[in-house]
Amino acid sequence: MQIVKDLGERVPGSLRAALTEAALHLKMTIPKADVSGLSEYNRAYLGRKLAVLDDVLCLYATILGLALARTGKKLSETTFVEYGAGLGLMSLLAVRAGVGTVIVNDIYDVSVEDAGKLGRILGLAPARSVCGTLEDVLRTTQDQGLRIDAVASYDVIEHVYDASGLFHLLAALPGPVSVTMASGANPYNPRIARPIRRLHHDVETRNREPEPGRKERDCLLSYREARAEIVRQCFQEAGRRPGEQETQALAERTRGMDAADIRQAVSWYLTKGALPAGPAHPSNTCDPYTGNFAERLMCPGELSGILSKNGFRARVLAGRYGAAKNAALAAAKALANAAILVSGPAAMALSPYYVVYGVKDE
């Protein structure tokens, strides 16, 4: 089984072998692990990953291979950060492959705690964990005298409220450093983009009931109604009462803003009488209380351009389909990968995910 897929950047044979061994090890050990001590949220999360574990491990090994391939260091001397790690499955691969310092980072404290628990259960506990933002990671590594060599994530960049700010922070790292941000929210693949747009409409317009295994920090109100609540609060604080039409107009035009930006937009409206310009994208939306975007559809070329402006040699890579449990599915994926390989710029329309990849030298 080919674990590390070729995405147009060469992964050295020794690194490929180490990641393949790590993936095969996790394939054997994770399903047998007693995870009853994990939170309900992460037990449900892990259950979804176990259903397609071969594909997940292949995907994470490929991303990790890209991240580590250009560090110029031995694995044992490398410091790797899994940004927005969740349960830290990519970090487990890194530890097993022999990466010297592995840092699990996530803003959700439950996931950071559970990542440590799972690592200890499997005997692969990462060296460090940081609950918070990338700024917290940078502060921690500076305090501990660590130099970050590689940062990687999967299905994180599409949730980040300020992607430009994130890349600017990454540019502050002393080189050489590699950044590998991959996302399954591929706007160019219609089979992916269509259901994501339906999801956007759903979270915008429908209130949700608490369900087992949900993130406690997630908003249950429809995002439009949550924004309307913030608008009403702003008017109340200013000693004014908004009309419903006024409230809904502001709620609609602040789609994709967090609470701080909504307040700024309402303040401008109260002062100048001018409504905000409105969202540039027809469906992208975020939880206004956390700024967490719902599977944001973004142009990977624009993200690559931001990395380039911040001093990285950046590329956009088309993801390939990973491993499969049965021969028929494996053959279908191999055929799709062959089509991606020869499709040039059109490959992204077939790809299951995109990768924004950059290397910053000294």
Side-chain angles (χ1 to χ4, degrees), residues 235 240 246 250 264-276:
F235 270 79
R240 290 179 55 179
E246 195 175 29
L250 282 163
Q264 187 174 5
V266 175
S267 176
W268 181 259
Y269 174 75
L270 290 170
T271 304
K272 304 292 184 181
L275 286 166

Side-chain angles (χ1 to χ4, degrees), residues 14-100:
S14 57
L15 175 57
R16 187 183 295 267
L19 291 171
T20 297
E21 189 282 329
L24 293 174
H25 176 80
L26 290 179
K27 178 183 175 180
M28 298 296 296
T29 56
I30 291 180
K32 300 175 184 177
D34 178 6
V35 297
S36 57
L38 302 185
S39 66
E40 186 177 36
Y41 168 75
N42 275 312
R43 290 200 305 274
Y45 172 87
L46 185 59
R48 294 191 295 272
K49 298 297 183 185
L50 286 172
V52 286
L53 187 59
D54 285 12
D55 199 22
V56 167
L57 292 174
C58 181
L59 169 65
Y60 286 0
T62 296
I63 296 167
L64 187 57
L66 285 170
L68 298 174
R70 303 292 176 265
T71 64
K73 290 185 175 181
K74 296 178 181 178
L75 286 182
S76 59
E77 298 171 352
T78 298
T79 297
F80 166 71
V81 176
E82 184 180 3
Y83 172 68
L87 201 48
L89 298 181
M90 198 184 304
S91 292
L92 294 176
L93 278 171
V95 173
R96 177 67 187 186
V99 176

Side-chain angles (χ1 to χ4, degrees), residues 104-240:
V104 169
N105 166 238
D106 200 277
I107 201 166
Y108 189 37
D109 57 344
V110 173
S111 287
V112 172
E113 184 177 347
D114 281 348
K117 287 180 181 178
L118 182 60
R120 289 189 290 274
I121 290 168
L122 297 172
L124 297 171
R128 292 167 174 81
S129 62
V130 178
C131 181
T133 65
L134 185 64
E135 287 177 305
D136 296 313
V137 175
L138 300 183
R139 191 178 305 112
T140 298
T141 54
Q142 288 168 0
D143 291 345
Q144 297 177 357
L146 292 172
R147 177 168 171 161
I148 297 172
D149 302 299
V151 180
S153 70
Y154 181 71
D155 271 355
V156 177
I157 190 63
E158 72 271 23
H159 299 294
V160 173
Y161 186 68
D162 182 8
S164 295
L166 171 67
F167 287 166
H168 184 71
L169 278 175
L170 290 168
L173 294 171
V177 62
S178 75
V179 171
T180 309
M181 301 281 177
S183 171
N186 179 0
Y188 299 116
N189 185 329
R191 292 180 62 252
I192 293 172
R194 277 195 297 267
I196 288 178
R197 287 193 292 269
R198 289 195 294 269
L199 169 68
H200 292 166
H201 180 265
D202 187 60
V203 296
E204 264 291 288
T205 59
R206 186 178 66 87
N207 294 338
R208 291 162 292 282
E209 294 296 326
E211 295 180 355
R214 78 176 187 91
K215 269 188 179 178
E216 294 297 329
R217 67 197 296 267
D218 288 347
C219 179
L220 291 174
L221 284 176
S222 73
Y223 290 172
R224 181 187 294 168
E225 180 54 31
R227 294 194 304 275
E229 278 197 349
I230 295 169
V231 170
R232 295 185 190 106
Q233 290 169 4
C234 292
F235 270 79
Q236 184 178 8
E237 291 164 6
R240 290 179 55 179

Side-chain angles (χ1 to χ4, degrees), residues 263-335:
R263 285 181 168 277
Q264 187 174 5
V266 175
S267 176
W268 181 259
Y269 174 75
L270 290 170
T271 304
K272 304 292 184 181
L275 286 166
H281 192 274
S283 68
N284 280 333
T285 185
C286 73
D287 182 333
Y289 294 114
T290 64
N292 181 54
F293 268 91
E295 304 299 330
R296 188 178 188 179
L297 293 169
M298 293 186 290
C299 172
E302 291 180 7
L303 293 173
S304 174
I306 297 169
L307 262 187
S308 296
K309 289 178 182 177
N310 281 282
F312 288 83
R313 290 181 285 110
R315 294 184 62 191
V316 174
L317 308 174
R320 310 285 168 83
Y321 291 90
K325 289 184 177 180
N326 62 72
L329 185 56
K333 287 185 172 185
L335 184 62

